[in-house]
């Protein structure tokens, strides 16, 4: 990303109460003076001021502007934020005034990139800004806010200090001692607890994913068992087409619902019928199988008004290894002997009766989903990580365990130990963004929206 003064609309383009236009860079002050009425020679810092935007001497809009003098701003540069009424035409008009005076449009994430480059925040915090904005649940947003506040960064900074101390000791043995042995070196309790801390963070990763993307729950069963009815009932709206003609749901439908505040991605798919019909439905069926593989949990529906058949059996074979629950639906119209044969053939501890039509037995569905989330949540960590962070943490943990082993062994290749400690410190630097490569930065910041 280049230099220069940048500007962008920091709020979504649309109609609403307020739109905020943000300008960052050396020209922020002069541009403000040129386009806003009555701005004093020396703009007052950090004070919201009411005024008017002018174009060719004519007032075109009312505004409130706030100036943040460098270095005490988000980017570390001079920033001005101008609030106007949110209307796409007005926002564009004001931005054009700004661009006409030497600022250029900010690239995605460029404000945050500058904050990072100017050491206002580290790379983990920069990532957290975007993760917070894109969070799909309150829980996930809270986790990411924790990292924005520095939870993960502080943990890593502390670990780095410990490792640097250790490195100094190891290096001094290499430099000054006859006996090149690690026997006098201690793998400190702080380092010991860091290994545990990292392990907790890594095990909590799956729960984070659930908090962000939702637990993937798929409803399966042969055609006409009531999958779409259940899906709709969980969604509390008529989203999926239900019909008494088998095979109506040709593709899959995915919707986000919340159970106990946790996001759940619910899928209603084509019936998996083995002796199946036309090509479109076959396509749907093979997609269903992929979706089953990719899901976290399966709800398997049976039709209690008819006898168990080979379709049910072959579907059970496909899902029996997954986390699953079995419901005998249409319990309002139960056929004699069905419950017995289902309990006999399938995992009987997980068979329940359901009538989507009469809304009975539904609580068991919620209970099942919640119990899986809670189980995953047992590994919940105080600190959350994304994939990049998790992968680096795994490397750091491996190095730490190696260093520990070498120190405990005492007589070992001390140069190798020193190198392992250095690798560990470098990887912490990578995590924090002290050691960077442009590709990684590009990848991280290009995911941002413009204006952040
Ligand atoms: N009697 C009864 N009928 C149901 C129940 N749940 C669904 N149905 C009916 O079964 C038929 C097929 O339902 P649908 O949800 O489209 O099944 P899908 O093919 O598995 O998606 C529809 O006519 C529903 O009204 C239930 O609990 N009891
Ligand atoms: Mg259906």
């Amino acid at each position: 990303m280049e230099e220069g003064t940048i500007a962008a609309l920091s709020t979504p383009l649309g109609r609403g109460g307020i739109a905020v236009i943000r300008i960052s860079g050396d020209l922020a002050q002069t541009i403000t003076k040129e386009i806003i009425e009555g701005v004093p020679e020396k703009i007052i810092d950090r004070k919201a001021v009411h005024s008017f935007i002018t174009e060719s001497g004519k007032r075109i809009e009312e505004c409130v502007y706030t100036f943040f003098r460098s270095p005490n701003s988000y980017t570390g540069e001079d920033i001005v934020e101008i609030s106007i009424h949110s209307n796409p035409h007005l926002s564009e008009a004001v931005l054009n005034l700004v661009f006409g005076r030497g600022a250029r449009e900010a690239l995605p994430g460029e404000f945050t990139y500058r904050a990072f480059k100017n050491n206002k925040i580290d790379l983990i915090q920069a990532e957290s800004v975007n993760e917070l904005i894109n969070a799909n649940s309150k829980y996930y947003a809270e986790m990411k806010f924790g990292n924005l506040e520095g939870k993960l960064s502080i943990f890593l900074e502390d670990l780095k200090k410990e490792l640097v101390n250790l490195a100094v000791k190891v290096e001094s043995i290499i430099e000054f001692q006859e006996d090149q042995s690690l026997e006098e070196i201690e793998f400190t309790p702080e380092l010991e607890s860091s290994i545990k801390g990292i392990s907790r963070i890594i095990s909590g990763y799956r729960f984070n994913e659930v908090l962000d993307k939702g637990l993937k729950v798929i409803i399966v069963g042969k055609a006409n068992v009531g999958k779409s009815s259940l899906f709709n009932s969980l969604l509390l709206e008529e989203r999926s087409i239900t019909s008494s003609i088998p095979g109506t749901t040709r593709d899959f439908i995915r919707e986000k619902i919340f159970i106990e505040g946790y996001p759940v991605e619910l899928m209603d798919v084509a019936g998996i019928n083995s002796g199946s019909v036309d090509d479109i439905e076959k396509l749907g069926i093979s997609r269903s199988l992929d979706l089953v593989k990719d899901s976290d949990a399966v709800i398997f529906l049976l039709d209690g008004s008819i006898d168990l058949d080979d379709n049910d059996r072959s579907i059970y074979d496909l899902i029996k290894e997954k986390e699953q629950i079995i419901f005998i639906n249409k319990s309002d119209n139960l056929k004699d002997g069905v419950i017995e044969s289902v309990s006999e053939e399938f995992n009987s501890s997980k068979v329940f009766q359901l009538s989507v039509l009469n809304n009975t037995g539904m609580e068991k569905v919620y209970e099942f989903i919640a119990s899986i989330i809670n189980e995953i949540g047992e590994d919940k960590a105080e600190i959350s990580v994304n994939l990049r962070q998790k992968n680096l943490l795994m490397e750091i943990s491996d190095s730490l365990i190696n260093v520990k082993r070498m120190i405990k062994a005492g007589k070992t290749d001390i140069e190798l130990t020193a190198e392992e400690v250095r690798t560990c410190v470098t990887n912490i630097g990578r995590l924090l963004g002290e050691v960077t490569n442009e590709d990684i930065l590009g990848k991280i910041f290009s995911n941002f929206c413009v204006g952040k």
Side-chain angles (χ1 to χ4, degrees), residues 222-229 231 240-243 245-251 253 268-271:
K222 68 186 175 200
N224 219 32
V225 291
K227 298 181 295 297
S228 298
S229 305
F231 182 83
S240 176
I241 312 154
T242 64
S243 128
I245 308 155
T248 332
T249 312
R250 286 290 168 81
D251 215 332
I253 302 174
D268 173 21
V269 299

